[in-house]
Amino acid sequence: MKKLLCFVAVLLLTSAALPACAEQAEDAVNRLLNQLAAYFDAREQIYSLLYGCYQKVGAFYEREDYASLVRARLACSEASEKLREEEPPEMSLDAAVLLSLMQSGVDTSGLEDKAREMQDTLQSAAKRLNLLEGFLHSGAIFLKDGRKTGNRLIDSMAEGLSLEAEYDCCWLNDLLLPLGDDPRIADFWNRMPFRWPLIAQYREAWITASAQVTEKGAKILEDMEKALDEISTAFGMNAYSIQRYNQNSEAVEADFQWIAGMPPAIPLPDFWYSSENRSLHPNSGDTGGEGLPDTLIWRIPDISVEQFLMYVHQLSEIGFEGVLTGAAQDGWKNTLTVNGNICIIMYRTDSTVMIAYHPNQLTLEAR
């Protein structure tokens, strides 16, 4: 009789624990999907910034005119600035949730790797934009070979971006495969095009076989390596061209092509090259179309008074008449004119220099 009572007690305890375990497992799946949604929100934002930028840069290499060049430069600058403001989502799943997911067969190590990867994704995206922006301000865009290399570069970068999106979808399929019978998984998968339309355009039908998902992921990674090789090749070609042009001035003259519609050029300041957080902006009323903005404004932080005044002097030496007002403690303003027409207005306040000009009248170019 005593043994029977003990057996009944164990059954009662077990049956009482089952709903709690079921609830814990259900909560773990919900929290997993919320964590994944945070990852994909961030990935979609990064993808959107890069995708829009690549389109503008690609349009320049198709049209090869000044207006599309300005728009490509603005797109790179805007995307870079927004990327600097992005914060990667934090891993919010605690040990109990991860244990519950592991017991369901979910590869939680891959989930934790994704959290670390997000920071690397932001850094690599910023580097790509810096490379693009630097290329668009280099002398390479005035040379036939340079523009050909630039076009090859942007094509490879766009290809790499689409492969990253495809891999994200494949990785998600692989991660959630052990939970595939849960209707919430199918709902999450099917709603992807509505919440993350850019990434989801590379999503294929749900794969139910683990080996097939693994094979597909390996193939995407192989293609990504090829895209990276193409990018490296493009930069290598550009470096070789620069070396060749430096050694042969006649080659420069033969291949040099001024960008159609470009106005007279003046040099960017020396401090432009060393600034890591510089940014280019159109006037506030600009609609972002294909034409030129009314005004362009360079914002360049961490510039000394001496650097600012040196650039003012440099411009005066090439024919600009300046009216300098202000003081070091209050900020400087310099209005530069040619033949009485205002061409450039420069400010320096709190160590930040602003350079405003009309892009239809002149352009500021790297030397």
Side-chain angles (χ1 to χ4, degrees):
M1 184 67 178
K2 187 175 180 180
K3 288 183 177 179
L4 179 61
L5 289 173
C6 289
F7 179 69
V8 171
V10 169
L11 283 177
L12 289 172
L13 287 171
T14 304
S15 62
L18 284 175
C21 291
E23 288 176 8
Q24 184 178 11
E26 183 172 349
D27 179 63
V29 173
N30 286 333
R31 291 182 63 183
L32 169 63
L33 295 179
N34 287 336
Q35 179 72 67
L36 291 171
Y39 287 162
F40 275 82
D41 282 345
R43 291 289 288 175
E44 180 80 0
Q45 175 65 6
I46 295 170
Y47 191 95
S48 176
L49 290 172
L50 293 176
Y51 182 79
C53 181
Y54 292 174
Q55 282 194 315
K56 292 289 187 181
V57 175
F60 162 66
Y61 287 115
E62 287 180 10
R63 293 168 50 183
E64 295 191 349
D65 62 11
Y66 176 58
S68 60
L69 173 61
V70 168
R71 290 299 173 183
R73 289 172 172 176
L74 282 169
C76 282
S77 183
E78 180 184 7
S80 293
E81 194 170 23
K82 288 182 177 178
L83 275 178
R84 290 195 291 267
E85 298 170 356
E86 283 290 313
E87 291 289 339
E90 296 182 359
M91 177 69 167
S92 62
L93 304 183
D94 56 33
V97 171
L98 292 173
L99 178 59
S100 178
L101 293 171
M102 287 174 63
Q103 290 170 340
S104 299
V106 176
D107 180 10
T108 57
S109 63
L111 192 63
E112 292 174 297
D113 288 342
K114 204 67 174 178
R116 290 187 291 269
E117 182 190 307
M118 290 304 299
Q119 182 63 49
D120 295 336
T121 298
L122 278 170
Q123 292 175 352
S124 64
K127 287 180 181 177
R128 276 182 267 178
L129 288 179
N130 285 337
L131 290 172
L132 272 185
E133 185 180 35
F135 203 97
L136 289 171
H137 285 281
S138 73
I141 62 169
F142 299 109
L143 301 168
K144 294 177 184 177
D145 284 350
R147 291 206 286 272
K148 187 183 297 182
T149 299
N151 194 31
R152 181 174 179 177
L153 176 65
I154 194 61
D155 284 347
S156 299
M157 285 184 165
E159 173 67 13
L161 186 63
S162 64
L163 288 168
E164 287 177 25
E166 186 179 1
Y167 184 78
D168 278 339
C169 295
C170 184
W171 172 84
L172 182 65
N173 189 159
D174 186 47
L175 181 77
L176 296 178
L177 195 55
L179 305 172
D181 293 334
D182 190 317
R184 288 168 295 177
I185 303 303
D187 183 64
F188 187 89
W189 183 262
N190 292 331
R191 288 180 179 274
M192 286 184 68
F194 302 99
R195 185 161 180 176
W196 308 293
L198 290 175
I199 292 176
Q201 65 182 314
Y202 300 100
R203 185 201 61 160
E204 296 185 359
W206 179 265
I207 300 173
T208 58
S210 178
Q212 188 179 348
V213 180
T214 301
E215 182 181 356
K216 179 176 175 57
K219 176 63 170 62
I220 297 171
L221 288 175
E222 183 181 328
D223 291 340
M224 288 169 68
E225 285 292 329
K226 291 178 181 177
L228 288 173
D229 287 343
E230 277 292 310
I231 293 172
S232 298
T233 300
F235 276 108
M237 290 172 57
N238 189 50
Y240 172 77
S241 296
I242 290 173
Q243 182 181 14
R244 182 170 68 88
Y245 286 124
N246 285 339
Q247 296 172 351
N248 187 348
S249 58
E250 293 182 359
V252 175
E253 293 177 4
D255 289 352
F256 186 89
Q257 287 185 338
W258 200 248
I259 302 296
M262 181 171 277
I266 64 172
L268 283 160
D270 290 339
F271 53 76
W272 178 88
Y273 296 89
S274 58
S275 175
E276 294 182 358
N277 295 322
R278 63 182 183 239
S279 55
L280 182 65
H281 304 267
N283 52 287
S284 58
D286 180 61
T287 59
E290 294 185 352
L292 288 172
D294 294 331
T295 306
L296 288 177
I297 305 104
W298 273 110
R299 183 184 182 277
I300 310 176
D302 304 319
I303 305 304
S304 68
V305 173
E306 290 74 20
Q307 289 174 301
F308 173 77
L309 295 177
M310 187 178 298
Y311 186 53
V312 171
H313 176 70
Q314 181 185 357
L315 292 179
S316 69
E317 287 188 324
I318 59 175
F320 288 89
E321 299 175 358
V323 178
L324 184 64
T325 59
Q329 63 271 22
D330 302 321
W332 294 93
K333 176 183 178 181
N334 192 51
T335 303
L336 295 122
T337 62
V338 173
N339 299 323
N341 297 317
I342 297 176
C343 296
I344 304 174
I345 299 177
M346 298 171 54
Y347 300 88
R348 182 191 178 277
T349 307
D350 296 330
S351 78
T352 296
V353 170
M354 310 282 281
I355 307 173
Y357 62 99
H358 299 299
N360 63 331
Q361 295 179 3
L362 55 85
T363 178
L364 273 61
E365 298 295 324
R367 287 175 292 177

